[in-house]
Amino acid sequence: MPPKRSIGRRQTPKRAEFRRLALSAEIGTVTRGQLAVLAQNLPCTGMVNATEAYLLTTLINTAPADAFEKGGRPIIFKSNQQLAFEINRSAGRVSRLLSNLFDAGLITMQDSGNYKRYPTRNVEGTVVDGCGIDMRILIARYRELDELIRQARVEKAAANAALRRYRGALRNLRRALAFANCIPQRTRARLEVRVEKVITLVGIATRAPSVLLRRATALFEWFVERAMQLPRRLEVAFAPQDSACRCAGSDTHKQTTSPNSHEESNVDRPSVTVEPLTSVGAGSASEWASEASLGRRRSRTKQPHHSRQEMVALQDLLRAIPALSTYGFAPPRSWADLARIAPQMCRIAGISDDARRRAVDQMGEQQAAVAIAITLQKLDRQEISSPDGYLRAMTGRAVAGELHLSRSIFGLAARYTVERLE
């Protein structure tokens, strides 16, 4: 015997909560015109589709304007057949649309025993109550829904701006690769492969998240600098500014410089979006010797006490983090090189400067760079969705003495080796 079909309107905790919320509405604080504009703009939030918004607008315009004034009762008594005629849909479709609006918390229903809709009037003929479609919840939620619409507009504007920048950066990059005759053919081919890999990761640009588009744009701008053989920004970071101390060249001055001075100079330059590791063809012995010397001097400066970590070889780290080459980084030759590219890795991964500074304060410059590289690799493998939060969690574990970076590195290296063998 088939189960007996349930009779009556479906009851859920949400619908009961919406009914209670409708009773708290202050009639007279929002006009009918404001609610009509709100209903027309609701599809941009994704709460309703265009047909549901059309029905909601029809319901709002059905009630008289004074029903939304103080002492009024914005309750609609039209039948589903009449509403179906007005919006050119079937009565069954209207019933389903009303149910969807109820579930979304945009209307509530005051039902009679036979589900008929009728008003209750006083001796003067004024409607004081009734059974029908109650619009008071829209008044109670007006500020909340209006804020959702505003946020949707802001996000749409940001997405459009990110899309325009992405397309412009990709066009500039292709032009740069087409006319940069000074770079070797092998380097050009390597850049083109990386560009195609980024384009594949983005997919359809109009559907990609704005965060992903901004990261891809930063990579394209970086590739343009490499194709144009621009000088390395490390040299610009120590250029004279408003103080003569930054450009002092004595060994005594370099030994007393703060170990975070290079990173602070990057933060102070809002125009710098992505800093390339090296320009194409760069890498003379004098430059590498200078960087190694700078790394040794920084290591001799006073550092705050940090939790002790098991040391791993740099080659083990490079084997565990193939994302470095995926995103265009040249393999670091020392731990100082890894720490130097940590701000660029943060920009690509979407990690805030505050999270990076906290990691450096708690773990030290070298261990923070390792943690950032691990975060970048896990983001590339799509194992995490919030790189900023993941790095902050690692920093918290480091403070508690529960962070083991070596285990993460060897685990990632083992997984990458197994995947290559498969």
Side-chain angles (χ1 to χ4, degrees):
M1 182 177 179
K4 187 177 180 180
R5 181 179 178 183
S6 59
I7 300 175
R9 192 179 305 280
R10 180 166 54 91
Q11 301 298 321
T12 63
K14 272 191 171 183
R15 290 188 173 187
E17 179 65 24
F18 290 148
R19 285 197 185 97
R20 186 171 63 177
L21 181 59
L23 297 177
S24 65
E26 298 181 9
I27 309 297
T29 57
V30 182
T31 65
R32 184 179 67 173
Q34 289 176 308
L35 293 177
V37 173
L38 179 76
Q40 293 171 2
N41 293 328
L42 274 177
C44 70
T45 64
M47 294 181 61
V48 295
N49 57 32
T51 305
E52 293 165 350
Y54 181 35
L55 175 59
L56 184 61
T57 305
T58 302
L59 292 173
I60 294 172
N61 292 329
T62 295
D66 56 1
F68 296 93
E69 297 177 358
K70 193 170 183 178
R73 287 293 182 271
I75 301 176
I76 311 303
F77 309 108
K78 285 184 177 179
S79 64
N80 287 357
Q81 288 79 6
Q82 181 61 31
L83 292 173
F85 173 77
E86 293 182 5
I87 69 171
N88 195 24
R89 297 294 189 276
S90 66
R93 180 70 183 281
V94 168
S95 178
R96 292 190 295 272
L97 294 176
L98 290 175
S99 181
N100 293 340
L101 292 176
F102 199 171
D103 291 333
L106 301 177
I107 63 171
T108 57
M109 309 292 287
Q110 295 190 33
D111 296 320
S112 63
N114 57 1
Y115 292 97
K116 298 293 183 180
R117 297 170 187 159
Y118 56 85
T120 301
R121 303 179 185 270
N122 57 14
V123 294
E124 299 176 354
T126 304
V127 176
V128 294
D129 203 356
C131 295
I133 305 171
D134 194 348
M135 311 299 297
R136 286 180 293 180
I137 191 171
L138 270 183
I139 300 175
R141 299 186 64 190
Y142 176 78
R143 304 302 175 190
E144 172 196 350
L145 298 175
D146 187 57
E147 179 63 20
L148 287 177
I149 293 173
R150 189 194 66 82
Q151 291 179 0
R153 288 174 174 170
V154 171
E155 292 173 0
K156 181 62 175 177
N160 290 337
L163 180 61
R164 288 193 296 268
R165 283 203 59 194
Y166 170 81
R167 288 173 171 171
L170 179 58
R171 181 176 61 250
N172 292 339
L173 176 58
R174 284 174 171 166
R175 296 282 291 180
L177 292 176
F179 292 96
N181 299 323
C182 54
I183 62 176
Q185 185 63 31
R186 182 179 178 183
T187 303
R188 185 199 306 273
R190 189 165 61 247
L191 284 176
E192 291 175 349
V193 169
R194 291 174 179 172
V195 171
E196 293 302 323
K197 184 177 295 186
V198 173
I199 294 174
T200 303
L201 289 173
V202 171
I204 301 176
T206 54
R207 300 179 183 177
S210 57
V211 175
L212 182 60
L213 291 177
R214 286 194 292 269
R215 293 176 187 168
T217 301
L219 283 173
F220 289 160
E221 293 174 353
W222 183 11
F223 292 158
V224 169
E225 294 181 0
R226 292 171 67 90
M228 296 289 100
Q229 295 185 339
L230 297 183
R232 295 170 55 194
R233 295 191 185 182
L234 177 63
E235 301 170 359
V236 180
F238 290 97
Q241 296 291 328
D242 52 353
S243 172
C245 294
R246 291 286 181 94
C247 59
S250 64
D251 291 341
T252 303
H253 168 72
K254 290 182 180 179
Q255 291 176 2
T256 58
T257 302
S258 170
N260 297 327
S261 60
H262 170 57
E263 296 172 5
E264 293 172 356
S265 64
N266 291 340
V267 174
D268 293 338
R269 297 173 179 270
S271 61
V272 178
T273 306
V274 176
E275 298 179 3
L277 177 64
T278 56
S279 59
V280 176
S284 62
S286 61
E287 289 178 346
W288 288 113
S290 175
E291 292 174 15
S293 175
L294 179 61
R296 288 193 298 270
R297 288 166 182 162
R298 285 184 177 179
S299 64
R300 289 198 299 265
T301 57
K302 293 182 179 180
Q303 294 283 355
H305 177 72
H306 304 291
S307 59
R308 194 174 188 85
Q309 293 285 343
E310 300 178 12
M311 296 302 296
V312 297
L314 183 60
Q315 294 302 321
D316 293 332
L317 176 69
L318 297 180
R319 191 171 68 254
I321 315 294
L324 290 176
S325 59
T326 300
Y327 290 102
F329 290 99
R333 300 187 180 183
S334 65
W335 293 110
D337 290 342
L338 181 66
R340 183 170 61 83
I341 64 174
Q344 295 95 288
M345 289 191 289
C346 289
R347 293 188 184 96
I348 293 174
I351 299 174
S352 64
D353 290 335
D354 178 69
R356 178 178 61 83
R357 285 193 294 267
R358 287 177 182 271
V360 171
D361 292 340
Q362 299 298 332
M363 292 185 279
E365 197 170 359
Q366 176 178 326
Q367 299 299 334
V370 173
I372 292 169
I374 293 173
T375 304
L376 179 66
Q377 178 62 32
K378 292 199 172 185
L379 176 65
D380 185 65
R381 294 174 60 90
Q382 299 181 352
E383 295 180 0
I384 59 175
S385 57
S386 176
D388 191 87
Y390 187 79
L391 181 61
R392 290 180 188 275
M394 294 178 72
T395 304
R397 291 198 298 270
V399 174
E402 301 175 353
L403 182 65
H404 304 282
L405 295 177
S406 59
R407 298 179 185 176
S408 300
I409 292 173
F410 291 130
L412 289 172
R415 273 182 286 180
Y416 180 66
T417 303
V418 170
E419 291 174 358
R420 290 187 60 185
L421 294 176
E422 294 177 351

